[in-house]
Amino acid sequence: MTNPTTAPSPAKPGAPTRVAVLGSGSWGTTFAMVLADAGCDVRLWGRDPAVADEVTTQRTNRKYLPDVELPAMTGTTDAAAALAGAQIVVVAVPSQVSRATLTGLRDLVEPDAVIVSLMKGVELGTDERMTQVIVEALDVPLSRVAVVSGPNLAAEIARRQPTATVVACSDESAARFVADACSNAYFRPYTNDDVVGVELCGAVKNVIALAVGMAQGRGFGSNTVATVITRGLVEITRLGLELGADAATFAGLAGMGDLVATCTSPLSRNNTLGRHIGEGMTLEEAVVATGTTAEGAKSCRSVLDLAAKHGVDMPITAGVVAVLYEGLPVEEMARGLLSRPQKSEGVDG
């Protein structure tokens, strides 16, 4: 990459910003739509030729976004064609395959492109956040890597319902470049320099949504849900502060905003999968019923490992891991959370 303090190269006067979106699933396609509606020249890369052709010729992606009309964009299975000249590269592939996917594309990324992570997870085996994986896989400086996260349920945004998000990057000019590229009538980005905080919120809120879904699946009501969400935010904040995040991030869009949306909406894959578990399904059965593997089910163990490395107590996350992978009944998880020693409320409580 070029000098990290140098602003991203603008498009030629009058020319739209050229963007490559890697990943043609629901969130990748939706964010590609957001960018195209904002006036960008978008190329959407995926591995399914039928989806790529449909995106280009029919302006739909019925596999992932039924009944949604897309703006003009180019779908492709040719990574070189997608990445050629791209000033922004958006990564929307599953978090646990991101390193392998990106390593193979390293030589195709333009030297001054800003990389944007839409991924929500912590890598198994390394316990690294997705920005750290991107830096290593693409050999780029962290100042060129941004994170987009907030209350951004793909199905609602695809219907062009209003929402806001956070674009976090250590380089303010890069954050603003991405925010300008995705700002439109229904999508409002705010910038932030707290990459760690925004990224942890996006990863851990999925785990908390699993716990909420499990409780709902067992028939627990609003009091239980509110308790898990509130204490879940404490867990996220506790880990974030230990890793150097800004406390203000956790009360904002990427923190409480995203947590509430993911924990309470039936459109949330993590909440849905948790409900199926709470209703008595095995993890394998719940994945089939949900139609996909929710990110929280894969990253909960790496989140817990990361917390253990830093001596951070995360009982809800530990409970989710125990239910999914150690056979702990949901009722016992709930009882275990309520039977913890009494103490003052707060981040340290």
Side-chain angles (χ1 to χ4, degrees):
M1 296 291 263
T2 56
N3 185 338
T5 62
T6 302
S9 298
K12 295 179 181 179
T17 300
R18 181 168 289 181
V19 184
V21 178
L22 306 179
S24 58
S26 58
W27 188 208
T29 303
T30 298
F31 198 71
M33 180 197 81
V34 168
L35 291 159
D37 281 345
C40 295
D41 174 10
V42 180
R43 282 168 286 185
L44 178 64
W45 174 82
R47 299 188 185 279
D48 189 332
V51 169
D53 180 71
E54 182 185 339
V55 166
T56 303
T57 61
Q58 301 181 47
R59 295 191 183 179
T60 58
N61 184 346
R62 290 185 296 271
K63 182 177 180 180
Y64 294 103
L65 297 176
D67 305 318
V68 173
E69 182 178 350
L70 301 173
M73 64 178 79
T74 301
T76 181
T77 58
D78 184 342
L83 291 165
Q87 299 156 280
I88 296 174
V89 176
V90 178
V91 185
V93 301
S95 61
Q96 302 305 328
V97 301
S98 60
R99 185 182 297 272
T101 301
L102 294 175
T103 299
L105 304 178
R106 177 186 297 176
D107 295 336
L108 302 176
V109 176
E110 296 291 342
D112 60 352
V114 177
I115 316 300
V116 178
S117 172
L118 301 186
M119 299 178 290
K120 308 293 193 299
V122 175
E123 189 179 39
L124 288 166
T126 67
D127 300 334
E128 290 189 342
R129 293 173 285 107
M130 292 298 102
T131 53
Q132 295 172 302
V133 172
I134 288 172
V135 165
E136 293 172 3
L138 293 180
D139 191 23
V140 296
L142 184 59
S143 59
R144 290 297 184 185
V145 181
V147 179
V148 171
S149 193
N152 300 151
L153 295 164
E156 292 185 0
I157 298 173
R159 294 194 291 269
R160 295 174 171 84
Q161 295 181 6
T163 192
T165 198
V166 176
V167 178
C169 184
S170 61
D171 185 303
E172 183 180 355
S173 64
R176 176 49 52 195
F177 183 54
V178 174
D180 289 344
C182 66
S183 178
N184 62 37
Y186 58 88
F187 196 80
R188 171 70 159 90
Y190 292 82
T191 58
N192 190 327
D193 64 0
D194 183 17
V195 174
V196 173
V198 170
E199 197 164 25
L200 280 177
C201 287
V204 186
K205 56 97 180 184
N206 286 332
V207 182
I208 307 304
L210 284 170
V212 169
M214 290 175 187
Q216 292 171 320
R218 293 306 299 156
F220 297 128
S222 298
N223 289 337
T224 305
V225 168
T227 298
V228 175
I229 291 174
T230 306
R231 297 308 301 172
L233 183 62
V234 170
E235 289 196 12
I236 300 171
T237 304
R238 187 184 292 144
L239 179 59
L241 294 180
E242 180 65 26
L243 296 177
D246 183 346
T249 298
F250 305 100
L253 288 165
M256 179 55 82
D258 196 9
L259 183 64
V260 169
T262 306
C263 287
T264 62
S265 174
L267 297 174
S268 163
R269 289 176 293 181
N270 291 279
N271 176 272
T272 300
L273 190 142
R275 281 177 181 264
H276 292 319
I277 296 290
E279 291 165 356
M281 292 186 186
T282 65
L283 177 57
E284 292 74 18
E285 291 168 341
V287 168
V288 172
T290 305
T292 182
T293 301
E295 286 283 7
K298 290 190 173 182
S299 62
C300 59
R301 288 177 293 180
S302 49
V303 169
L304 191 60
D305 287 344
L306 180 62
K309 284 181 179 178
H310 293 272
V312 176
D313 186 29
M314 299 188 73
I316 298 175
T317 301
V320 169
V321 172
V323 169
L324 293 184
Y325 298 104
E326 298 168 11
L328 181 73
V330 174
E331 293 92 337
E332 288 191 27
M333 178 187 77
R335 284 197 295 268
L337 294 174
L338 293 178
S339 65
R340 289 169 56 81
Q342 294 182 355
K343 57 180 70 175
S344 297
E345 183 185 28
V347 172
D348 296 326

